[in-house]
Amino acid sequence: MCILFAATYPERTAALVTYGGFAKRLRSDDYPWAPTLEERLRAADEVERRWDDVGFFDLAYYAPSRAGDANLQEWIARYFRRSVSPKGAADLLRVNSYTDITDVLSAVRVPTLILHAVGDRDVKVQEGRYLASRIPGAKLVELPSGDHLFWASHEKEIVGEIQAFLTGARPIPELDRVLATVLLTDLVNSTGRAAELGDHRWSELLDAHHALVRAELARYRGKEWDTAGDGFYATFDGPARAVRCGLAIRDGVRHIGLEIRAGVHTGEVEEITGKPGGIATMIGARVRDRAEAGEVLATSTVRDLVSGSGLRFDDRGAHALKGIPGEWQLYAVAG
């Protein structure tokens, strides 16, 4: 239908893109890779007979990259059963068997992209090549898989090819690792203060602490990722802002009778279960654990990156950080 529409209404068609497409469904001398009429009719009879069988739709045939995926197998079977009756599915297959648009292909005069999986068992790659060879100016892209289902294994590659074809530029890949500065804080002696104040008063104080921290994060463009009890984990796109935010939080909570310690480190973070993590975050946490009450402690990486910012640092010497190789030179932010 898409090919027929493009040939009939070129003025209403920006471009034509097919995936796993074919020109006709029955074998002929010039189309020897398609099934015979007898094979198609037998397949239609089997569809009508086994439509309600969960295992009828063979993933190893239509999506070999997902063969053995029981959840997908059950989902597809349910999807088919809810879409059409057994007879309706069989009738559709019989009707499609007589589809033939071979004489239409040369009339297509719009930009055309033909996408096809090389190992497709349902619609052979020769059928995609046939389309591309007969549609004037068509571009053929063969994908190294056997999946007739376009979303089974290489949907990102397909979307990238389509975007490049339509816009001239591929999508920017999603990066799972970026450089960021991490700031981790926690309250000093929170257990003792909670016992001293009682649950109600401590809850009020904790709410005030959280509100103050979030206000400073917003002020310094930090992004909150986690709040574990009385501690915060945030990232910044600049180390100076992270350090100044740590100082502002420290000074702010003192006005409500609390004390924090904080660790700051700059390094590559990677997305883990929806939030940044990895070695840089672990280092930031270990640095925080080394900080004294009221101290914002940073690695030498942070100190070097903020050179010229006006921030001052006091050398706290080299430290071994639990679970982190080597020794780390740490600096307390002065101020």
Side-chain angles (χ1 to χ4, degrees):
M1 292 302 296
C2 293
I3 295 173
L4 183 61
F5 185 96
T8 307
Y9 303 106
E11 74 283 0
R12 297 171 61 187
T13 307
L16 170 67
V17 180
T18 71
Y19 177 86
F22 55 85
K24 60 180 182 177
R25 250 351 212 156
L26 295 179
R27 184 177 302 173
S28 62
D29 290 342
D30 63 341
Y31 209 80
W33 40 80
T36 64
L37 176 60
E38 292 73 18
E39 289 171 335
R40 291 287 292 179
L41 294 179
R42 280 200 304 271
D45 291 341
E46 187 175 17
V47 163
E48 189 164 1
R49 187 172 61 254
R50 297 187 57 197
W51 191 244
D52 293 328
D53 181 356
V54 172
F56 171 61
F57 188 90
D58 184 7
L59 281 181
Y61 182 83
Y62 291 99
S65 72
R66 303 289 292 277
D69 187 334
N71 289 331
L72 179 60
Q73 180 80 50
E74 199 280 330
W75 179 88
I76 286 178
R78 185 170 63 251
Y79 167 78
F80 281 157
R81 287 197 303 270
R82 292 178 177 178
S83 299
V84 67
S85 69
K87 184 177 186 306
D91 286 345
L92 180 61
L93 194 149
R94 294 182 184 109
V95 169
N96 278 345
S97 296
Y98 297 98
T99 296
D100 186 343
I101 56 167
T102 52
D103 292 337
V104 174
L105 301 179
S106 62
V108 176
R109 288 292 188 273
V110 300
T112 301
L113 173 64
I114 308 295
L115 298 165
H116 217 105
V118 174
D120 192 332
R121 297 170 63 186
D122 186 54
V123 181
K124 303 293 192 298
V125 68
Q126 290 88 345
E127 306 193 53
R129 293 169 183 167
Y130 184 94
L131 293 177
S133 67
R134 284 162 175 74
I135 296 177
K139 177 183 178 181
L140 172 66
V141 175
E142 297 182 7
L143 298 156
S145 88
D147 294 329
H148 183 65
L149 304 180
F150 72 89
W151 41 263
S153 63
H154 42 44
E155 67 276 9
K156 288 184 179 180
E157 289 84 351
I158 291 172
V159 170
E161 292 290 348
I162 294 172
Q163 181 170 327
F165 183 72
L166 296 178
T167 70
R170 291 185 177 277
I172 298 173
E174 293 183 11
L175 302 177
D176 59 359
R177 294 180 67 86
V178 296
L179 186 71
T181 299
V182 299
L183 169 67
L184 293 103
T185 71
D186 67 8
L187 285 170
V188 176
N189 191 30
S190 58
T191 303
R193 291 302 308 278
E196 174 189 338
L197 296 172
D199 291 343
H200 180 69
R201 176 64 183 126
W202 175 247
S203 178
E204 290 180 338
L205 200 57
L206 205 56
D207 287 344
H209 163 265
H210 283 29
L212 188 150
V213 172
R214 289 182 173 126
E216 295 299 347
L217 288 176
R219 179 183 172 198
Y220 288 98
R221 298 191 347 226
K223 187 167 184 179
E224 175 188 339
W225 290 104
D226 196 12
T227 306
D230 54 18
F232 274 78
Y233 167 40
T235 58
F236 297 76
D237 59 7
R241 278 195 295 278
V243 171
R244 290 194 168 100
C245 185
L247 293 174
I249 292 171
R250 180 200 64 184
D251 295 342
V253 299
R254 281 176 174 169
H255 292 299
I256 59 174
L258 297 173
E259 197 75 82
I260 68 153
R261 57 180 180 168
V264 187
H265 175 63
T266 300
E268 279 193 329
V269 297
E270 57 185 313
E271 184 173 315
I272 300 174
T273 62
K275 65 182 179 182
I279 189 69
T281 303
M282 292 175 60
I283 292 170
R286 299 294 184 262
V287 172
R288 176 203 58 197
D289 295 344
R290 286 281 181 175
E292 302 291 338
E295 194 169 59
V296 177
L297 201 60
T299 60
S300 57
T301 308
V302 173
R303 188 202 62 165
D304 295 343
L305 288 172
V306 300
S307 177
S309 66
L311 291 166
R312 294 181 299 107
F313 297 84
D314 296 329
D315 193 344
R316 289 290 187 266
H319 294 260
L321 303 179
K322 183 179 179 181
I324 309 296
E327 287 195 329
W328 292 78
Q329 199 74 22
L330 303 182
Y331 297 85
V333 183

